[in-house]
Amino acid sequence: MERLLWKIELQGVDQIDKSALTPLYQQKPNRRVLGYPLYLNLYYLGKRFYSPEKFQAEIEEETADYARKIKRAGSDSVKVDKLVERKEKKLAKLQDKKENGNWLMKTVGEPPTFFDSLKLVQTEEQIKIYLNSKGFFRGAVSSATETKNKKVVVTLQIKEDRPYQIVQHAYEVPDTAVLALLQNPSYTSLPKVGASYDEAVLAQERVRIEALLKDNGFFDFSQQLVTFTADTSYVPYTVRLKTLVANPTDSTLHKIYTVKNVYFISDAGLNRFGVSRDTVMLADVQYLAYEQKVKPKILNRKVIIRPGQTYSATRTLNNQRILSNLDVFKYATIGYTKLTDSLSTKTRFGELNANINTAMLPKYQETTELGATFTERVPGPYTSIRLRVRNVFGGAEIFDVGVRAGIEGQLQRDENKTGTRTEIGADMGLTFPQILVPFRNNNLLVRFNPRTRFSTGYTYVDRNEYTRTNLDFSFDYIWQRLNIHQFSFSPVDVSIISTPRISPEFSARLDEFAAQGNPLRESFNNAFVSTINFTSLYNTANYNQSNDAKLVRIFAESGGLIGQFVAEALPTLRSYKFVKASIDYRRYHPLGNNFMFVYRANGGVAKPLGEYMALPYDKYFFAGGPSSVRAWLPRRLGPGSSARIDATTNEVIYRFEQPGEILLELNSEFRFRMFRFGTTNVNGAFFYDAGNVWLFREQASATSTEGSEINYQTGAKFELNRFYKELAMGTGFGVRLDFTFAVLRFDIATKVYDPALPEGSRFVLGRFSSSKILGTNNQTTFNLGIGYPF
């Protein structure tokens, strides 16, 4: 009798990580969503429409049909071969459907997991092996089963006992040069005296020893020469650990290599018979090419391998990364050849020739993008065309130029209806692969992929309420540590902003805001905005955000230092003074079985200074939208508990953008795999968001007067004794289509806590209605986005 494996419970696990035991199960219960076996029930739903007899009949019919076609083909072997090939493909598909079920059963649903006692025994064995690997040599594993309504609940009872501890760690290394390196206090071993025995740590120690030796000249060393012995016979619950490093099989010594010659070929793979490559010698490095398309003096700043150096694997990998980051080469490989004199097994030292091989990427690269957005429940097209020109002046420079245009829905501020927002823009930039400074020292930060970028752009935005243009220029220094930590410093970042058109209705609204103490009108003056800013971005997440990772982005900006001088020369342009800082922290936790928990904390302050006490509009913080608190429309949340109240209905009006000077956001998502459709992963997510924006100063209260349509509710100022009561909260569910190269995201979010409402009436989750998800309402919002929200 088949019984469904319903649940596996762990007992007695106090010291071991429970999540590490789950992958050891040789049988796993069907996945459940909020306790409900959703995928199993989808499987049975598909089975209602599944008939193996039908597929068997089709197999027999197709077999007979092809037999007739092959017979008619006679002696035409070519035709017969084609028919046989088509027949095999057709029958294979039908056989797969017969054996594995229809699309719903195979792709979305999960077949039932029936309890198998033999696999339970195998699970116990795997857990016992794992216990031993973690030093629990006296641990034990047992199991018990309970059956109810043909459902089996398995209880795995783990007896951990005490882990064995390392009380002594010694080396057994016949090569004294290797032994001296391992015993150097600068290089500490991973197994520690007093720590529990752990085979995972020993595996990491093998890797560490190999990397250490390869970075100190031991070119031929392999971690397979490293072994360990663990003596547990001394005292109970103790281990005397010994690390053994064997000599090479063909020698009594591990050879130390130095680099004799360095050859850089910038057109590897290209052969011109009868013609030799031109050779340029710089700093003892030989640059070879039929045509030196990239100036050797530029390449010389990117080569960190030099003659006379001791061989280092890390230096080699770093040099490959430096060359790859130039974005002018198809590939960059670095190999080594041993010199003939180094082949002797009787000498300690050897020599290598380093061979750096690269090949140029195409000089021109064009990218065209077409797509659509879905904003304010209105679809809109967009397009962009970009051209990249590599090695512009022969110094590995990159020139980029692009144009873009798009239309999207935009909620009109003064009418509760959706209009359009048209944006047209162009930009261009030139990047140099070095730090450009007034003095002649271009080797700054050479190991950190330094770049200097000059860029300019123009943006034209036409909305129902206004037309706005922005001409900007920036001068940036960019460098990075490995591939996970990038820095950017912009000593010059200026914009000239013009607002040639403001609708009378919107102008009147700005006047009303100004009367309430809101400085938003100042942001729509023609202006010259100058800033100095710095960004640090640390990111260990991969593209699909599926690894255990974190992201930390720190941004600091000061505005107005240049503007105060320009203001005198251009009195028609407003100049702003301000300081701004923000930090964005994200954490990605894999939970196994394609589950992931992600959370984010994002905050910032932007303080206006000087005469006008206003920020440029683009420097304000906003909350709400697809990557913020998703239950609110973009930029419609806050500030604080302030609100605009309809004087007639006494309801909160959510159609105005709400700029803030202080931002605090908290987001969390529980992501999981739902099913696979072809090559596309269809993933789901439950999310919960909280956040708001605030101002440094309270806006004045405006009460209703005759003919007035809107009342203003105070509460915009940030106050320590109440800000936590003004954190808006929303929750929802999302579906993500992961195409590998891009992620298309659909999120449905509904308000849980609305600080704009009076205290005691702010919990609004009960107002959610599934029938109004796509309608016009203030409770639930539908978001469409590209990529993950954070």
Side-chain angles (χ1 to χ4, degrees):
M1 181 181 67
E2 293 181 328
R3 297 171 296 165
L4 190 68
L5 178 59
W6 186 248
K7 188 177 182 181
I8 298 179
E9 295 180 344
L10 276 174
Q11 292 183 359
V13 179
D14 298 317
Q15 304 172 69
I16 298 174
D17 181 9
K18 287 186 177 181
S19 63
L21 299 180
T22 305
L24 304 178
Y25 297 165
Q26 302 303 295
Q27 254 195 321
K28 295 180 181 179
N30 292 104
R31 289 181 295 164
R32 284 179 283 181
V33 178
L34 299 178
Y36 179 72
L38 175 64
Y39 302 101
L40 176 62
N41 282 277
L42 289 172
Y43 176 87
Y44 281 122
L45 177 62
K47 196 171 183 179
R48 293 183 181 181
F49 308 100
Y50 166 66
S51 172
E53 294 79 11
K54 175 185 175 182
F55 291 118
Q56 180 59 39
E58 287 188 36
I59 290 173
E60 294 172 358
E61 182 180 341
E62 290 291 340
T63 301
D65 184 45
Y66 273 100
R68 289 190 293 269
K69 292 178 180 179
I70 293 171
K71 184 177 181 180
R72 286 198 298 268
S75 59
D76 189 341
S77 59
V78 174
K79 191 173 183 180
V80 168
D81 288 343
K82 289 182 178 179
L83 287 170
V84 170
E85 184 179 354
R86 287 202 294 266
K87 170 190 172 183
E88 290 176 350
K89 288 183 179 179
K90 183 72 173 179
L91 294 182
K93 289 182 180 179
L94 291 172
Q95 188 66 30
D96 178 65
K97 291 180 179 179
K98 175 187 173 183
E99 294 177 357
N100 299 312
N102 52 33
W103 174 84
L104 191 59
M105 296 168 67
K106 292 190 300 180
T107 305
V108 183
E110 282 183 353
T113 301
F114 293 114
F115 173 70
D116 186 331
S117 58
L118 178 59
K119 290 186 176 180
L120 177 57
V121 173
Q122 294 170 348
T123 297
E124 294 179 27
E125 293 172 350
Q126 291 298 312
I127 293 177
K128 176 58 178 172
I129 292 172
Y130 181 80
L131 289 173
N132 288 337
S133 75
K134 293 298 180 181
F136 295 89
F137 297 125
R138 298 189 182 186
V141 185
S142 61
S143 64
T145 61
E146 180 182 358
T147 304
K148 187 176 182 180
N149 297 328
K150 297 185 180 180
K151 297 177 182 177
V152 177
V153 175
V154 173
T155 301
L156 290 171
Q157 182 65 47
I158 313 297
K159 182 183 177 183
E160 294 174 329
D161 202 31
R162 287 166 49 196
Y164 278 59
Q165 289 187 329
I166 299 172
V167 295
Q168 180 182 317
H169 182 205
Y171 290 101
E172 186 174 300
V173 184
D175 190 320
T176 55
V178 174
L179 179 62
L181 194 59
L182 294 178
Q183 292 180 333
N184 189 322
S186 300
Y187 308 116
T188 57
S189 65
L190 297 179
K192 307 291 185 184
V193 173
S196 299
Y197 175 86
D198 190 337
E199 289 183 5
V201 174
L202 299 185
Q204 295 170 13
E205 177 69 356
R206 281 193 183 93
V207 175
R208 185 195 71 86
I209 290 175
E210 181 184 37
L212 173 63
L213 294 179
K214 281 184 173 292
D215 281 347
N216 284 272
F218 294 90
F219 176 74
D220 291 322
F221 190 82
S222 170
Q223 62 177 279
Q224 280 70 34
L225 297 172
V226 181
T227 56
F228 302 94
T229 61
D231 185 358
T232 59
S233 62
Y234 184 56
V235 176
Y237 297 103
T238 65
V239 173
R240 290 185 294 179
L241 183 69
K242 185 179 292 185
T243 299
L244 302 90
V245 180
N247 280 333
T249 56
D250 60 349
S251 175
T252 58
L253 296 172
H254 291 276
K255 189 168 292 190
I256 300 174
Y257 287 87
T258 56
V259 178
K260 183 174 184 180
N261 300 297
V262 179
Y263 302 97
F264 191 116
I265 301 177
S266 57
D267 51 10
L270 181 63
N271 291 310
R272 294 181 179 175
F273 296 103
V275 180
S276 299
R277 284 185 170 91
D278 175 50
T279 302
V280 176
M281 177 78 78
L282 280 177
D284 296 327
V285 178
Q286 301 178 53
Y287 296 91
L288 294 84
Y290 293 111
E291 180 183 356
Q292 301 283 1
K293 293 185 177 180
V294 182
K295 298 172 184 176
K297 68 176 183 179
I298 298 297
L299 295 176
N300 202 53
R301 299 186 186 111
K302 303 298 179 182
V303 175
I304 61 176
I305 299 173
R306 303 289 180 178
Q309 291 177 341
T310 301
Y311 165 78
S312 169
T314 298
R315 185 186 300 118
T316 302
L317 290 173
N318 285 341
N319 212 153
Q320 283 186 233
R321 176 181 56 81
I322 290 170
L323 294 171
S324 297
N325 286 334
L326 287 175
D327 194 34
V328 295
F329 297 121
K330 292 180 184 177
Y331 57 84
T333 62
I334 302 177
Y336 294 87
T337 56
K338 299 178 184 177
L339 274 66
T340 303
D341 294 344
S342 300
L343 301 179
S344 171
T345 60
K346 298 179 181 180
T347 58
R348 159 70 74 182
F349 300 99
E351 291 182 317
L352 302 169
N353 281 343
N355 303 288
I356 304 174
N357 294 304
T358 64
M360 299 294 293
L361 280 166
K363 188 175 184 68
Y364 301 99
Q365 177 183 327
E366 180 267 335
T367 304
T368 302
E369 183 178 14
L370 295 171
T373 60
F374 189 85
T375 308
E376 309 289 6
R377 307 184 181 93
V378 174
Y382 70 85
T383 183
S384 68
I385 301 174
R386 298 200 65 81
L387 175 66
R388 169 164 290 191
V389 184
R390 297 183 174 91
N391 200 33
V392 182
F393 307 119
E397 304 89 356
I398 303 293
F399 176 72
D400 290 291
V401 60
V403 294
R404 63 190 183 279
I407 300 173
E408 64 181 27
Q410 186 70 52
L411 192 66
Q412 294 179 231
R413 288 183 173 87
D414 298 300
E415 301 179 49
N416 196 15
K417 66 180 183 180
T418 300
T420 60
R421 177 184 187 274
T422 302
E423 179 176 326
I424 301 172
D427 62 88
M428 60 181 178
L430 181 61
T431 304
F432 295 85
Q434 56 190 301
I435 297 293
L436 296 181
V437 289
F439 49 90
R440 296 175 59 84
N441 183 1
N442 292 323
N443 291 322
L444 292 172
L445 303 172
V446 65
R447 296 171 182 265
F448 298 94
N449 186 28
R451 286 161 285 165
T452 302
R453 179 173 175 81
F454 299 92
S455 60
T456 185
Y458 175 81
T459 303
Y460 168 86
V461 175
D462 183 53
R463 295 175 47 153
N464 300 87
E465 303 94 337
Y466 59 82
T467 299
R468 190 178 178 90
T469 64
N470 187 349
L471 176 64
D472 61 74
F473 170 80
S474 67
F475 163 40
D476 311 305
Y477 292 125
I478 305 166
W479 67 98
Q480 62 190 65
R481 184 176 63 86
L482 301 177
N483 290 321
I484 60 175
H485 199 176
Q486 178 171 294
F487 303 91
S488 174
F489 173 60
S490 302
V492 178
D493 189 341
V494 298
S495 299
I496 298 177
I497 300 170
S498 175
T499 310
R501 179 186 65 84
I502 299 180
S503 70
E505 296 83 3
F506 184 51
S507 181
R509 191 65 66 195
L510 290 176
D511 290 338
E512 180 183 329
F513 291 170
Q516 299 165 1
N518 187 319
L520 192 57
R521 170 169 281 286
E522 293 290 341
S523 299
F524 285 87
N525 292 315
N526 296 336
F528 179 88
V529 180
S530 63
T531 72
I532 297 175
N533 58 70
F534 172 80
T535 302
S536 168
L537 176 62
Y538 178 85
N539 183 13
T540 62
N542 57 24
Y543 174 78
N544 290 320
Q545 299 182 358
S546 58
N547 60 320
D548 191 332
K550 66 176 63 175
L551 180 151
V552 182
R553 181 182 183 273
I554 301 173
F555 175 79
E557 184 176 37
S558 176
L561 296 181
I562 299 176
Q564 60 186 344
F565 302 106
V566 176
E568 298 178 1
L570 301 171
T572 59
L573 296 180
R574 181 64 50 82
S575 177
Y576 297 93
K577 293 182 181 180
F578 63 92
V579 291
K580 183 177 181 179
S582 65
I583 182 169
D584 185 352
Y585 176 81
R586 308 176 188 184
R587 192 72 174 88
Y588 305 88
H589 287 288
L591 303 178
N593 296 324
N594 294 313
F595 291 106
M596 172 78 75
F597 179 67
V598 183
Y599 60 88
R600 173 198 189 201
N602 182 30
V605 294
K607 177 66 174 173
L609 305 171
E611 177 183 355
Y612 304 109
M613 292 304 292
L615 295 169
Y617 190 68
D618 295 333
K619 301 300 180 181
Y620 280 105
F621 292 110
F622 295 89
S627 298
S628 180
V629 185
R630 283 162 276 189
W632 273 257
L633 292 172
R635 301 187 169 205
R636 302 303 192 275
L637 175 56
S641 57
S642 68
R644 307 192 189 283
I645 310 295
D646 188 300
T648 304
T649 64
N650 207 34
E651 293 183 350
V652 176
I653 301 173
Y654 297 94
R655 64 177 183 264
F656 300 107
E657 290 187 4
Q658 304 294 348
E661 298 164 340
I662 300 171
L663 169 71
L664 179 60
E665 287 181 333
L666 304 168
N667 308 89
S668 62
E669 281 197 348
F670 177 70
R671 301 171 182 172
F672 55 93
R673 174 78 52 81
M674 293 201 297
F675 58 88
R676 189 176 180 87
F677 183 73
T679 59
T680 302
N681 289 323
V682 181
N683 302 324
F686 292 103
F687 56 83
Y688 198 90
D689 305 321
N692 209 330
V693 293
W694 293 264
L695 299 174
F696 280 104
R697 296 183 301 171
E698 184 60 78
Q699 301 178 29
S701 176
T703 57
S704 179
T705 60
E706 185 176 353
S708 174
E709 300 176 355
I710 299 175
N711 292 336
Y712 179 75
Q713 173 180 291
T714 59
K717 184 180 179 181
F718 182 87
E719 297 282 1
L720 284 174
N721 62 353
R722 75 160 193 264
F723 81 94
Y724 58 91
K725 299 178 182 179
E726 297 171 341
L727 288 171
M729 301 179 193
T731 188
F733 176 76
V735 175
R736 288 80 192 275
L737 305 181
D738 187 348
F739 300 101
T740 304
F741 59 88
V743 175
L744 184 61
R745 171 167 51 95
F746 305 88
D747 287 335
I748 299 291
T750 189
K751 293 180 175 67
V752 174
Y753 180 88
D754 188 351
L757 299 176
E759 288 195 60
S761 304
R762 294 177 175 176
F763 285 96
V764 294
L765 183 60
R767 299 181 184 181
F768 170 76
S769 174
S770 59
S771 63
K772 296 181 180 180
I773 288 179
L774 297 180
T776 301
N777 70 93
N778 294 318
Q779 175 63 30
T780 304
T781 302
F782 173 75
N783 293 292
L784 171 65
I786 303 296
Y788 290 100
F790 51 86

